[in-house]
């Protein structure tokens, strides 16, 4: 069957989101502390950002720390925060060189002061770049985001700026932290877990899901390309029939 007959997507996605999972298991397999896995996960982040930018992906969203991850042991949380500060600092020249815009989604206010400062400064410094947008989901959970959106919409209704019958899907969308970012066409999760873990629930309504058994520190450029190739073979129907979209 030809590509045309199969009606494959062909284009590369403009937005790829990744649940970077498996650092702890990667370290444990080597008899090391979980934090050793997080340290090695940084290289996979670097490689993924590089290949995504190279391939012309417009938005790359990385789930780096969830609202629920705050409940992990203090030592692990502290290490993750330090790694974040260090990585942003170290990667600044590369982000600038590759024309990448940095953004963050999540409860940024809940991050420790030093971390927030580093992040805000990096976001500001890269804001004039025009290449790929790298979105870091930090202290992010979709239920948190949706609850926040409801609260903000309620305030607008109370002020009389919006009437209840005027609330549409676009209204909800505009109150999400991802408001100016298109929905991801492709969501990748590493480490062989088949779940979403409170990530972008609204935004992935029609995303293609791709699961790989690779643990995050082992995820390389070739794995990213494999996911893109797999995406290209998918038929995205959005509720229509195959015949309708041909
Ligand atoms: C992903 O790896 C990184 C974060 C969630 C911060 P994990 O730390 O969840 O590793 P596993 O899933 O326990 O192996
Ligand atoms: C999801 O991974 C969060 C991040 C990748 C940052 P988790 O490891 O926290 O998810 P669960 O607990 O396995 O669902
Ligand atoms: Mg995990």
């Amino acid at each position: 069957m030809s590509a045309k007959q199969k009606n494959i997507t062909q284009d590369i996605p403009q937005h790829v989101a990744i649940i970077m999972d498996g650092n702890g298991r990667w370290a444990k397999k080597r008899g090391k502390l979980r934090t050793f896995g997080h340290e090695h996960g940084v290289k996979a982040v670097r490689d993924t950002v590089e290949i995504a930018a190279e391939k012309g992906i417009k938005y790359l969203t990385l789930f780096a720390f969830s609202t629920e991850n705050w409940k992990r042991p203090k030592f692990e949380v502290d290490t993750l925060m330090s790694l974040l500060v260090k990585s942003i600092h170290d990667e600044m020249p590369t982000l600038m060189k590759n024309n990448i815009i940095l953004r963050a989604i999540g409860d940024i206010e809940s991050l420790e002061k030093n971390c927030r400062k580093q992040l805000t400064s990096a976001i500001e410094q890269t804001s004039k770049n025009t290449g790929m947008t790298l979105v870091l989901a930090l202290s992010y959970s979709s239920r948190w985001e949706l609850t926040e959106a409801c609260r903000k919409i309620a305030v607008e209704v109370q002020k009389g700026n919006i009437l209840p019958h005027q609330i549409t899907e676009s209204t909800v969308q505009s109150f999400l932290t991802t408001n100016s970012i298109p929905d991801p066409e492709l969501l990748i999760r590493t480490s062989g877990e088949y779940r979403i873990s409170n990530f972008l629930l609204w935004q992935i309504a029609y995303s293609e899901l791709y699961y790989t058994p690779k643990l995050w520190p082992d995820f390389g450029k070739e794995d990213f390309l494999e996911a893109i190739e797999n995406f290209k073979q998918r038929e995205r129907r959005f509720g229509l029939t195959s015949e309708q979209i041909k």
Side-chain angles (χ1 to χ4, degrees):
M1 195 182 274
S2 76
K4 197 149 181 239
Q5 280 168 320
K6 261 181 83 191
N7 195 27
I8 59 173
T9 317
Q10 293 193 13
D11 295 332
I12 61 157
Q14 63 166 338
H15 183 178
V16 179
I18 308 183
I19 303 175
M20 310 182 289
D21 197 18
N23 294 351
R25 277 163 283 168
W26 187 90
K28 232 170 140 183
K29 268 172 57 180
R30 288 160 179 79
K32 305 274 191 185
L33 292 178
R34 294 176 51 80
T35 47
F36 183 72
H38 297 317
E39 285 158 18
H40 281 262
V42 175
K43 162 121 186 14
V45 171
R46 193 179 303 133
D47 286 352
T48 304
V49 171
E50 206 172 281
I51 188 72
E54 204 177 290
K55 282 281 140 196
I57 304 284
K58 298 261 182 324
Y59 298 88
L60 176 69
T61 299
L62 301 178
F63 200 6
F65 193 84
S66 76
T67 308
E68 290 77 19
N69 290 150
W70 286 114
K71 292 183 225 143
R72 290 192 179 188
K74 186 173 181 309
F75 172 70
E76 182 168 344
V77 172
D78 288 349
T79 306
L80 280 165
M81 290 301 143
S82 312
L83 265 176
L84 178 68
V85 174
K86 189 180 176 313
S87 306
I88 295 173
H89 176 266
D90 293 353
E91 295 307 316
M92 267 316 287
T94 315
L95 292 181
M96 294 309 289
K97 194 183 100 207
N98 293 317
N99 200 18
I100 292 169
I101 304 162
L102 183 69
R103 283 187 57 171
I105 55 168
D107 187 8
I108 303 308
E109 293 304 308
S110 69
L111 298 176
E112 180 254 314
K113 205 172 141 208
N114 188 24
C115 191
R116 210 167 54 221
K117 234 175 86 183
Q118 187 82 51
L119 183 68
T120 320
S121 142
I123 289 173
E124 236 172 69
Q125 278 183 68
T126 62
S127 65
K128 299 256 169 4
N129 288 346
T130 53
M132 184 179 80
T133 299
L134 170 62
V135 185
L136 293 182
L138 291 165
S139 191
Y140 174 89
S141 91
S142 205
R143 287 186 175 180
W144 165 84
E145 176 182 49
L146 288 165
T147 308
E148 281 297 300
C150 289
R151 189 176 296 125
K152 287 176 190 155
I153 292 170
V155 170
E156 292 308 311
V157 170
Q158 196 176 36
K159 285 186 189 159
N161 294 338
I162 306 175
L163 294 172
H165 75 269
Q166 292 171 329
I167 298 172
T168 61
E169 285 190 10
S170 316
T171 317
V172 178
Q173 161 84 25
S174 70
F175 282 88
L176 299 177
T177 56
T178 52
N179 59 25
S180 57
I181 303 170
D183 291 341
E185 292 98 330
L186 173 64
L187 172 67
I188 300 173
R189 182 173 189 146
T190 60
S191 90
E193 304 292 358
Y194 297 91
R195 57 176 171 267
I196 302 299
S197 303
N198 215 348
F199 190 45
L200 302 175
L201 299 179
W202 172 282
Q203 297 88 339
I204 60 164
Y206 267 106
S207 301
E208 295 298 322
L209 309 181
Y210 180 86
Y211 296 98
T212 163
K214 281 269 174 95
L215 302 175
W216 179 250
D218 289 331
F219 189 81
K221 291 185 177 179
E222 65 293 350
D223 298 302
F224 185 82
L225 294 176
E226 205 174 303
I228 300 293
E229 280 313 308
N230 185 288
F231 170 84
K232 287 180 170 172
Q233 303 306 315
R234 309 273 182 105
E235 182 182 65
R236 306 188 75 210
R237 290 191 288 276
F238 303 97
L240 306 183
T241 67
S242 254
E243 290 70 27
Q244 280 177 299
I245 51 174
K246 256 172 200 153

